[in-house]
Amino acid sequence: MINRLIRSTYGWVIAGLLLVLINWLFSFLNFRSDLTAEKRYTVSDATRKLLKGLDGDVYVTVLLQGDLPAGFKKLAGSTGDMLAEFRSISGNKLQYRFEHPGAGLPDSTSRGELIDSLRRLGINATNVKAQTKEGEGQEQQLVYPGAVISYKDRSAGIDFLQGQNFQDGLSSLNNAEALLEYKLASSIQKIMQDTVPLIGYLAGNGEPLDQRVYDLIENTLRANYAFRILPIDAVPAVPQMFKALLVVKPIQPFSDAQKLKLDQYVMQGGKLIWMIDNLYASIDSLQRSEGQFIAFDMGLNLDDIFFKYGVRINQDLVQDLQCDKIPSVVGSVGGKPQIQLLPWPYFPLLRNNSGHPIAKNLDYVLSQFPQSLDTVASPGIRKTILLASSPESRILNAPARVEWASVRNEEDLKTFTRQNVPVAVLLEGNFQSLYANRLTKSMGDSLIAAGQPFKVASTDNKMIIVADGDLALNMVDKNEGPLQMGTNMYTKQQYANREFLLNSLEYMLDQSGILETRGKDYTLRLLDKTRYEDRKSFWQLVNTLLPVLLVIVLIALYQYFRKMKYSR
């Protein structure tokens, strides 16, 4: 019957109409199957819930169009695939397009204004080297790996490479692809929010309030949350309107009255991020001394409360061969010192080994004179190490001598045998109050007067403790002023300190679960370069001749079966 239909006068017309009908029917079905091992194209439930709940149109302009290097073309393709999935899930409430930033602008002035506007949105240009023609070398090219999201009268920028290590381009682009869902979904969520949580910055124990916290307060906290400074001695109890509180580099001891306020803030459900230096050590002290000094105990009186929550910050300094660079005198010529940027083990570059979403797929986090920490038994508390040193570290126990030339020879290098020394930890669970069995009547009365009766334990809560008070501080350049936190003042290398802090706050405050999408894995399945070079000619021959041979074999088989058929 099918043969008669095809041979009929209108057979092909009918077949064409059937195909159109089938295609039209299947257009109403939305079915996708993710066959990748790491499920890289599977959108999380939290993102689906966000997209299905859009109450207005969202427009995304991706700035990745034009003649781009191969790695950025791949990132653009992945971005287009992700946004197509978002559009489908949202019921076409999300629309997107690709643009070439600066294309069609008449002069350099207009392009400069565009660059400034993108920078204000947080999208920075990436200078890449592109091959022109064979034998003609390379040319510099500015690429804007980001997007602009618009919702009603609001706009926000996304920098796909923010928080990535630019020195390893392939790995950075791979991490950027892994973070696409998180960055897009998180930005959509934030731009739709009408209210934001209130974050507090604790004052009263010598916490810095100068230019060293400019980037933390102005560019990090105020730019993303409601913000206030909280003098701890000015309130009878920490107000519950503060959803999270930062304790950054205190230098004066905490009294029992102050610790009680913080303890009860945690018992009431408040979130705390501690950034603590247990030993006094700073680069300024080294510069003022004769090239060395002894790091001494700060005496902050916080050991008991940390121990109760499940952590001990040790009296030591962590050194790491994986570290940042500072100017060092390497010799003298003509009576003038010769200065060179050299790695300095007191400034370790910390990384995440646990795979937790806060720090996964993130560049290194810069620390300065960090201490190690240990987790101790604390019923009901789960501990996750967020940041740790490299496998080439060592511990200097107090009293620790800090000196310019701490590594002098090969024998010193052999002492860096400690692996993955913890520096930052996440605590989750039901915290027990430090004052459960030591509350005095006057303490209890003060809490009742503040309208916050004493509570023995918290419900499920979160807290982060970092054994480095400088992690959230910024350096101040004489010419440029305050730099971004985690920026080396001499090399201008930026590390992911700001992203780590923002991710920490988002994890503790956001109940949607979107941050969990940071945990995606994108496996780079690269060729073995050694084997490829050894067998390069063989594979070139296979790729050239195999298709030709396959065609010849198919033609031969066709002729053979045709001959067999008609010979009968």
Side-chain angles (χ1 to χ4, degrees), residues 58 207 249 322 502:
V58 175
E207 294 86 355
K249 199 178 175 62
Q322 183 175 275
L502 287 174

Side-chain angles (χ1 to χ4, degrees), residues 62 97 115 321 356 384 566:
V62 185
R97 69 178 186 271
I115 292 172
L321 294 182
H356 193 276
T384 305
Y566 290 104

Side-chain angles (χ1 to χ4, degrees), residues 267 378-382 428-433 457-461:
M267 299 307 117
S378 182
I381 302 298
R382 305 182 301 277
E428 299 176 280
N430 301 319
F431 293 92
Q432 303 296 315
S433 173
S458 74
T459 54
D460 193 45
N461 204 353

Side-chain angles (χ1 to χ4, degrees), residues 182-194:
Y182 163 70
K183 289 199 172 186
L184 291 168
S186 177
S187 298
I188 293 171
Q189 181 188 47
K190 289 176 181 176
I191 201 173
M192 292 178 61
Q193 287 179 339
D194 294 321

Side-chain angles (χ1 to χ4, degrees), residues 23-58:
N23 187 60
W24 179 75
L25 291 173
F26 273 96
S27 68
F28 294 98
L29 299 176
N30 189 2
F31 177 78
R32 292 175 173 86
S33 181
D34 189 350
L35 302 179
T36 58
E38 61 269 24
K39 298 299 178 185
R40 65 171 62 185
Y41 301 113
T42 300
V43 176
S44 68
D45 293 338
T47 303
R48 287 181 177 275
K49 182 178 179 181
L50 171 69
L51 294 172
K52 289 179 179 179
L54 293 179
D55 59 356
D57 293 333
V58 175

